Amino acid sequence: MDSILVVNAGSSSVKFEAFAIAGSADLKFQVRGQMDGIGRQPRLRARGPDGSQIVDRRFEAQQIPDVPSALHTAGDWLREQHEIHPVAVGHRVVHGGPNYDRPVLVTAEVLAELEKYVPLAPLHQPNNLAPIRSIAERFPTLPQVACFDTAFHRGHSPVTDHYAIPEPYYAQGVRRYGFHGLSYEYIAQRLPAVAPECAEGRVVVAHLGNGASMCAMLGGRSIDSTMGFTALEGLPMGTRPGQIDPGVILFLIEQRGMSPAAVQDMLYSECGLKGLSGISNDVRELEASSNPRAAFALDYFVHRIALHAGMLAAALGGLDAFVFTAGIGENSVSLRARIAEKLGWLGARLDAAANAAHGPRISAPDSRIGLFVIPTNEELMIAQHTLALLRDASTLPRQQGKSS
Ligand code: ADP
């Protein structure tokens, strides 16, 4: 069956998802899986459409030493065990730089352009590009599409995407890019169905997962975001601090003798909920803990979300709806309730029963703003973009029968 393969590659894991091309613009979910522990204890796991586990296989470290070998093994498994034959691959690519405001069909020139953004996202961009390159080598005629986390925010005004630093740095790429754009774009696409009265209005979307950010949307378009030059800015996250005085970084390097690499490691891996609690980055564990530090970390998280919500509401000139999404936003009844309470000054009133049932509408009838829970689906967004781009370019081959 013709399918679109979606690839989301990190440093030690590759997530993949396959969608069958069911009709002119229809995509049918087939398989979701991931290869974890690349180079250490590789493990391939996947689930089918009914949610049941269809594979759980371990490998020797030398069998899967890197991201490309992980993807090739997963691709072989999809083809041989499930007769899934990708006719195109859509990739999540964290950085599209200042120019890409939409997905793009990958060519050698595009790949060279995307390489230039490696310094802007050194931890993520190389891992995103490695599988594109290896698939291009192995299957040179298989179309590949790069979908960017930054693209949805590219319409921001200059006052939004500048830092107040000397102008030449802006030209060098030091800008507030914003991330989680594929998630926000998916939510914007769902809003007319879930919240028709708000879809064209002023909406703040809170993507609260291990990475967390918020987006101000006007008429379904991003006008501001809490994330900036990197995915460190804005809200506190599982292991990242969010907004921090740059003086702290200077202090750590100059006064405490930390190397830039050590500071980077700390900022990406040791801060946020994990750093504050000293227990875990996982909200489930913090909610279950009786340790006061766990409670403090969650208090901090709620406080900062409320502060940034106020900032984005100001950018929008008011608020019509607030949407929760991603792992925490979709699942934590108690954090949603606490955040909604903090939005009381904007007229938010929660329907506790609807919140306990995970919505989608969780605002009470007398609420001045709509409160919603909308599960995100970045992979479907990537698959849709990939299919649309191929159809536009009329490059969709029939029964290529090969994949990664
Ligand atoms: P990522 O940014 O890695 O894609 P997710 O969107 O999958 O993250 O969110 C993962 C986080 O969601 C977990 O670390 C956990 O804190 C939170 N989470 C998942 N399920 C629940 C739950 N039932 N209750 C509270 N938090 C949850």
Side-chain angles (χ1 to χ4, degrees), residues 15 92 180 207-212 240 273 281-284 287 325-333 376 378:
K15 294 181 185 161
R92 181 182 194 164
H180 289 138
H207 177 108
L208 307 177
N210 220 355
R240 291 171 248 165
L273 296 174
N281 62 314
D282 194 314
V283 164
R284 284 165 292 199
E287 286 183 332
T325 194
I328 301 164
E330 292 167 26
N331 292 297
S332 177
V333 174
T376 194
E378 291 149 296

Side-chain angles (χ1 to χ4, degrees), residues 280-331:
S280 171
N281 62 314
D282 194 314
V283 164
R284 284 165 292 199
E285 278 185 55
L286 299 179
E287 286 183 332
S289 170
S290 56
N291 189 321
R293 290 188 64 189
F296 175 70
L298 294 175
D299 289 349
Y300 185 91
F301 191 53
V302 170
H303 176 62
R304 302 302 301 189
I305 290 168
L307 288 184
H308 281 83
M311 187 181 83
L312 294 182
L316 290 163
L319 198 60
D320 299 311
F322 190 93
V323 178
F324 294 91
T325 194
I328 301 164
E330 292 167 26
N331 292 297

Side-chain angles (χ1 to χ4, degrees), residues 12-16 32-47 53-66 69-71 73-74 77:
S12 65
S13 74
V14 176
K15 294 181 185 161
F16 58 90
R32 171 182 302 131
Q34 64 188 76
M35 181 80 83
D36 291 315
I38 294 170
R40 293 176 292 113
Q41 295 175 309
R43 184 176 182 186
L44 174 67
R45 281 176 288 182
R47 293 185 184 276
Q53 185 129 328
I54 51 177
V55 67
D56 186 354
R57 192 185 300 166
R58 292 172 191 275
F59 299 83
E60 297 299 322
Q62 67 272 17
Q63 287 178 285
I64 314 286
D66 51 21
S69 60
L71 194 54
T73 300
W77 173 77

